[in-house]
Amino acid sequence: MKKSIIICIAVVFCLILCACSSDPNADVSKPLDLTGNWEEAGKVGAYQAGFINDTTIEIYWIMEDGTYALYWSGTYEKPNSAEDTYTWESINDKSRTSRALMASSADTKVFSYAKGKLSYEASAMGVTTTITLVPTEFDYSSLGTIAGSNETQVFQDLQLVDSGYAIVSHRDSNYVYYAVEISNPNPDTAVEFPTIEITARNDDGAILGVETQVLPGIAAGDSFLYGAYFFVEDELPTNVEISIARPDDYDYIPQAGADIIHSSDLAISNVSEFGESNKRYTGEVTNNSSIDLDSVCVCVIYKNGDEIIGGDATFVDSVNSGETKAFEISLRNSPIDYDSYEIVALQW
């Protein structure tokens, strides 16, 4: 009896296999095809979604208000087998992602497919998580062609509006005082870590000293003055070149939500100048922003007429929102010749 049951089960199983193999539409040799539209499984609120075509995979952040931003644009390598699992390493198309505020800066990203789901790792705010996408009928491929979408936004470089310097020799030491005015023409985008580069040369063009000063940030549509000095060994420079480095793409950040305040939020008051050969400046700085600041840089900017010719700086620690604190700037070396001065403050 048991033998008969086993034989019957085997016969039924063979019939099922034959029925499957006789399906004229079945093509077990056809390679796995992942092209189409994909969106995050169980999406709630903001989520990730995108599409795969013959050569490319693009993933977007989809916001609750319907806006979106490019997260990944990279290569797609087609599977060459019908296996239901597949992994490939996508190469970042930085011509697409380099100007996208929320795009990944990674050179490559690994995508894996299994059991109808596509997965990969994504990082935001220092946290890495695994994102799982599932097929969808919604057409996300149109996001890559909509004119004016924020992933194709081109940001403007920072502008060096003005600069100046003064060279001072004092007690066998050489000093370069410098000052700059920097502007951010981007109306909605702040820039982190603007960098000033100063090169001191002699008459022969030999480089005597290089100073690189990284500033904390500049708010959208803002401008500010900054001044300081540096020491040059060996001989007195005769020429000084001042420039501002181009920010890295990831240094452009949305002003909304950024902790970078406008320079006008820091007010200078009660300024006094003391001394003849050894100058000293005192006053107060008020933080009118809504952000507590760990430090504020207070600069004295020297001028001859309308021309800025250098500066010096001090720092005031822990200036909370609405707080006023006193400062003092003492000219540490030999004074430079100037007609007037201006005291300014910037977030540090």
Side-chain angles (χ1 to χ4, degrees):
M1 180 67 178
K2 290 183 179 179
K3 184 176 180 180
S4 298
I5 294 173
I6 293 172
I7 293 173
C8 289
I9 292 174
V11 170
V12 171
F13 186 64
C14 289
L15 289 173
I16 292 173
L17 290 177
C18 291
C20 292
S21 63
S22 64
D23 183 358
N25 297 319
D27 184 1
V28 295
S29 64
K30 185 177 180 180
L32 181 67
D33 184 7
L34 303 182
T35 60
N37 293 281
W38 299 80
E39 65 182 15
E40 192 168 345
K43 59 179 184 178
V44 177
Y47 62 97
Q48 288 201 344
F51 64 90
I52 298 176
N53 61 28
D54 288 341
T55 59
T56 302
I57 177 171
E58 287 202 353
I59 306 295
Y60 296 82
W61 293 101
I62 311 298
M63 312 306 174
E64 292 184 73
D65 62 2
T67 59
Y68 63 93
L70 182 66
Y71 171 72
W72 184 262
S73 180
T75 56
Y76 166 61
E77 299 175 12
K78 294 180 181 180
N80 55 18
S81 74
E83 293 184 14
D84 196 41
T85 59
Y86 181 64
T87 297
W88 84 97
E89 186 176 56
S90 177
I91 301 173
N92 192 347
D93 179 2
K94 295 193 176 181
S95 69
R96 293 276 290 152
T97 60
S98 62
R99 291 295 189 177
L101 286 175
M102 300 180 69
S104 170
S105 61
D107 293 331
T108 61
K109 184 173 290 291
V110 175
F111 290 87
S112 298
Y113 173 83
K115 298 181 179 179
K117 298 179 180 180
L118 189 68
S119 62
Y120 54 94
E121 289 189 345
S123 299
M125 306 298 289
V127 177
T128 300
T129 187
T130 298
I131 304 292
T132 300
L133 306 183
V134 294
T136 177
E137 295 298 320
F138 189 89
D139 184 13
Y140 288 103
S141 64
S142 61
L143 300 186
T145 59
I146 295 176
S149 58
N150 49 358
E151 79 273 11
T152 59
Q153 183 177 357
V154 176
F155 301 111
Q156 300 180 66
D157 291 340
L158 297 182
Q159 297 176 356
L160 185 61
V161 178
D162 196 6
S163 66
Y165 65 90
I167 301 169
V168 174
S169 181
H170 179 63
R171 296 178 180 174
D172 298 324
S173 297
N174 306 311
Y175 301 89
V176 175
Y177 288 86
Y178 66 92
V180 296
E181 181 179 0
I182 299 172
S183 174
N184 176 9
N186 297 281
D188 303 307
T189 306
V191 178
E192 295 183 302
F193 313 120
T195 301
I196 307 164
E197 297 176 344
I198 308 102
T199 305
R201 301 176 184 268
N202 63 15
D203 284 333
D204 296 327
I207 297 175
L208 304 178
V210 177
E211 177 80 354
T212 301
Q213 178 61 64
V214 180
L215 305 176
I218 182 168
D222 198 16
S223 63
F224 60 67
L225 288 162
Y226 172 78
Y229 76 95
F230 66 99
F231 172 73
V232 178
E233 296 185 82
D234 299 322
E235 62 181 279
L236 194 69
T238 56
N239 180 56
V240 175
E241 301 165 358
I242 302 174
S243 62
I244 183 167
R246 186 186 183 281
D248 290 319
D249 296 318
Y250 48 77
D251 288 331
Y252 290 91
I253 62 173
Q255 181 63 45
D259 288 338
I260 299 177
I261 70 171
H262 286 77
S263 57
S264 58
D265 289 330
L266 294 173
I268 297 294
S269 61
N270 196 23
V271 172
S272 298
E273 179 185 24
F274 299 97
E276 293 296 333
S277 59
N278 295 316
K279 294 290 187 181
R280 192 166 59 91
Y281 310 89
T282 62
E284 294 175 313
V285 58
T286 302
N287 178 6
N288 291 318
S289 78
S290 60
I291 298 174
D292 294 338
L293 301 179
D294 293 334
S295 184
V296 170
C297 178
V298 180
C299 301
V300 53
I301 305 297
Y302 305 112
K303 298 181 179 181
N304 277 333
D306 294 330
E307 180 184 359
I308 59 176
I309 59 169
D312 205 347
T314 192
F315 295 90
V316 181
D317 294 331
S318 301
V319 186
N320 294 328
S321 175
E323 188 175 15
T324 298
K325 282 196 169 183
F327 65 83
E328 177 179 341
I329 304 174
S330 297
L331 189 57
R332 301 173 182 86
N333 307 300
S334 177
I336 63 177
D337 294 328
Y338 64 91
D339 296 336
S340 62
Y341 69 93
E342 180 181 359
I343 304 291
V344 299
L346 61 151
Q347 178 182 3
W348 204 263

